[in-house]
Amino acid sequence: MPPPLAGLVGSLGLALCVAIIGLTPGADLTTAALAGIALAQWAMRCEATKTARALAGLTLAALLPGFLSYVTPETLVTTRQWLAGAQALTPSASLSSWRPPLLATLTLMLLALILLLRQRAYLGAPVLLIGAALLLVAQLLAALLPAPTIPLLLVSHIDGFALLALAALVLAQLLLARSWWQGQTRLNRSLLPAGALMLVTLALWQYQHRHSETTLYDATQNDGARLAARLSDDIQGHLEAMRRFAHSWQLLNTPPTDEQWRSQAARLHDGDFRYLLNIAFVRPDSLIAYVYPRNQLNRDVLGQRLYEVQTQSTHALEQALAGKRQTSTDIIELLQGGPGIIYYLPVYNAAERPVGAAAMAISLPLLADTLFDALDPDTALLSWHANGRILARFGNTRRQGPWAHHYRLDLSGQMLDVVQRPRRDYLLAKLSRLPAISLTIGLMLAYLLYMVLYTFKRLDEQNLAFRNSNALLKTEIEERRRLQHEIEWLARHDELTGIANRRYFLELVEAQRNTRPLSLVLCDIDYFKRVNDQLGHLVGDHYLEAIAGIGQAVMAEHDGFFARYGGEEFIGCIPGAGQTRARHVAETLRQRVYQRALRHADGNSVSLSAGLVTHTTGPLDLPRLMQAADEALYRAKQQGRNRIENADIAGVSDV
């Protein structure tokens, strides 16, 4: 079961998700994904693993298209195509409603993958959780730090209650995972390099993201500046053409006729000056004498005196009629309707005397339509402003971007404010996918790094365990060999004296079955019971060890072997020795024991009695020989002890 704190935080996350759904009028995919992860975590805590994985899988599948739209190049799938696909399912969908911000998308996807992997460390769940935590921290910092100078086009974090809900879900997952992975040293060694790589990746993404948006901002601003410069150049070119038109009448001695005026004005108007409402000839008394084109709007102004019907242009008109200079009005309401500017140019005759003025009325909406005709309306919204009034507007007003570029346009002394607002869809199509791709690749590399390090650490631990097992096995084998050797040694040797026991002695004698002659010496310590009773068993054991050492040394000098037969009895075998030689060996043994100064309680030396038997011919009958030696030993004790007696049996001879 999960820790209580993890369950409490997870419940808080689920409650926040429910609150977001209830408070949000139109729940988007971000809200749905938060709710899906919260329910999946709750199911996992309730040990409903299949349900948890199903919810996590559905959430991951819902987030995948939006994630792909961040990293797929525009040349493969355009932003409009992604939006069209979303609107095919939901007609009112927008980019922000069908895909969460990039960092939130990655965080939710990592949480879903952790649940799909069932928190298994060897499948990389810990590094996915670290990644989700780092992405959450990046979103918290973005939400808390001051907003950048340039508004972000692509906001990569969520805020408000949604961010709190996401933080609760990540925290609950961290608390829950702590109890599962605590104490695994290989995790720390694998997570540190992978986490460091994730931090570097996030820092690189942040730099690339800001740099790409700043670059795009500068590019759109420069595009607008070039457009404004081109518009200004076009207008100045048109004004220069109008000056040449006005100066062309200096070749005449009289004012132009109606026919002459219409003929010349048609060439100017019908060429590049379609935005001119009219080109009129104004007499010195401000009466409009001729006008071109003579359409319904312009017929209404023929014969009108401008001093009377358009007082805003009186000052400019007076200077042109007086032949002083070219003038223009401010932005005024034209007689034909709509905002515009009227340029007045003096008209002279051949004597250079003013005979009237050429009035050219420029409709600013028509000018904007003419100049913006070659532009794509889906690129940006352009608007002309003067004194807080919108004079003209061009472009699509839907889904405008966060940027507004301001320019000043000079219309021969009249300044207009031009505002360019690039559309969001256009900007998103132009925005580089490199930051999102770099972030994705960096997270994948961190995951692979963790998997490699974790696998190697796991293999190292397994190899170490294998080596330790081998060492323990070798130690155990050696110990078993030692114990086996000890058991075998104990099975053949006397534990107290260290010499051969009765069993081993019989095996050694059996090995000499074909040796002739073969002599046996059966010895017994005289009055040994007194030693134990009067001096103690420790002294008795010491005497036994000493006599065993003497007997083994004596027998070894004559290529024989010596054994403890039982109690205070010893037996020796001398292969190849006849009775005389064997008796000499037995006497040597008796004398060395007696001379060792092993004392009884009364001070007398400990002595040895022995029975000697020698086999020379015929098959070896060991029980019979032993019985004969025992009888000879008995006679030695009967005859006073500390002596050697020969056995008298058939087949025994002196060699």
Side-chain angles (χ1 to χ4, degrees), residues 252-268:
L252 302 178
N253 293 321
T254 60
T257 64
D258 185 19
E259 184 65 28
Q260 290 173 332
W261 188 264
R262 283 190 297 166
S263 175
Q264 292 293 332
R267 297 176 184 177
L268 183 64

Side-chain angles (χ1 to χ4, degrees), residues 340-385:
I341 300 174
I342 302 176
Y343 288 91
Y344 295 111
L345 296 93
V347 177
Y348 303 93
N349 58 16
E352 295 187 357
R353 297 180 61 183
V355 294
M360 299 182 181
I362 298 178
S363 171
L364 292 180
L366 286 179
L367 175 61
D369 291 343
T370 302
L371 297 177
F372 296 154
D373 186 54
L375 302 179
D376 184 359
D378 290 331
T379 299
L381 175 66
L382 292 170
S383 56
W384 288 8
H385 300 260

Side-chain angles (χ1 to χ4, degrees), residues 161 228 244 256 279 290 353 573:
F161 286 106
R244 290 195 298 270
I279 303 176
Y290 317 134
R353 297 180 61 183
C573 177

Side-chain angles (χ1 to χ4, degrees), residues 17 175 189 239 242 244 272 292 332 369 382 437 451 592 607 650 654:
C17 292
L175 294 174
R189 297 175 182 176
L239 289 176
M242 287 189 287
R244 290 195 298 270
D272 297 331
Y292 183 87
I332 62 174
D369 291 343
L382 292 170
I437 295 174
M451 292 299 294
R592 289 186 182 179
S607 61
D654 187 8

Side-chain angles (χ1 to χ4, degrees), residues 67-85:
F67 168 71
L68 292 177
S69 69
Y70 283 111
V71 298
T72 304
E74 186 75 12
T75 55
L76 295 179
V77 183
T78 65
T79 302
R80 290 183 179 180
Q81 289 173 333
W82 285 113
L83 183 58

Side-chain angles (χ1 to χ4, degrees), residues 304-325:
Q304 296 191 36
R305 296 182 185 276
L306 293 178
Y307 288 160
E308 298 175 358
V309 298
Q310 200 171 55
T311 57
Q312 305 98 317
S313 64
T314 300
H315 178 70
L317 179 58
E318 286 177 345
Q319 296 189 55
L321 290 175
K324 294 181 179 180
R325 62 186 179 89

Side-chain angles (χ1 to χ4, degrees), residues 29 60-86 94-103 105-106 109 154-155 424-425 427-437 440:
L29 185 58
L60 185 63
L63 293 170
L64 188 59
F67 168 71
L68 292 177
S69 69
Y70 283 111
V71 298
T72 304
E74 186 75 12
T75 55
L76 295 179
V77 183
T78 65
T79 302
R80 290 183 179 180
Q81 289 173 333
W82 285 113
L83 183 58
S94 62
L95 285 176
S96 60
S97 65
W98 72 272
R99 68 174 188 181
L102 177 60
L103 296 184
T105 298
L106 289 173
M109 291 179 69
L154 196 61
V155 178
R424 180 177 293 274
D425 295 348
L427 293 175
L428 291 175
K430 293 293 184 181
L431 188 64
S432 173
R433 304 293 197 274
L434 181 60
I437 295 174
T440 303

Side-chain angles (χ1 to χ4, degrees), residues 431-462:
L431 188 64
S432 173
R433 304 293 197 274
L434 181 60
I437 295 174
S438 299
L439 178 59
T440 303
I441 293 176
L443 293 177
M444 293 176 63
L445 289 177
Y447 175 81
L448 293 176
L449 176 62
Y450 165 84
M451 292 299 294
V452 170
L453 294 176
Y454 184 87
T455 302
F456 275 111
K457 296 296 182 184
R458 193 176 182 185
L459 290 176
D460 287 343
E461 291 179 2
Q462 291 177 349

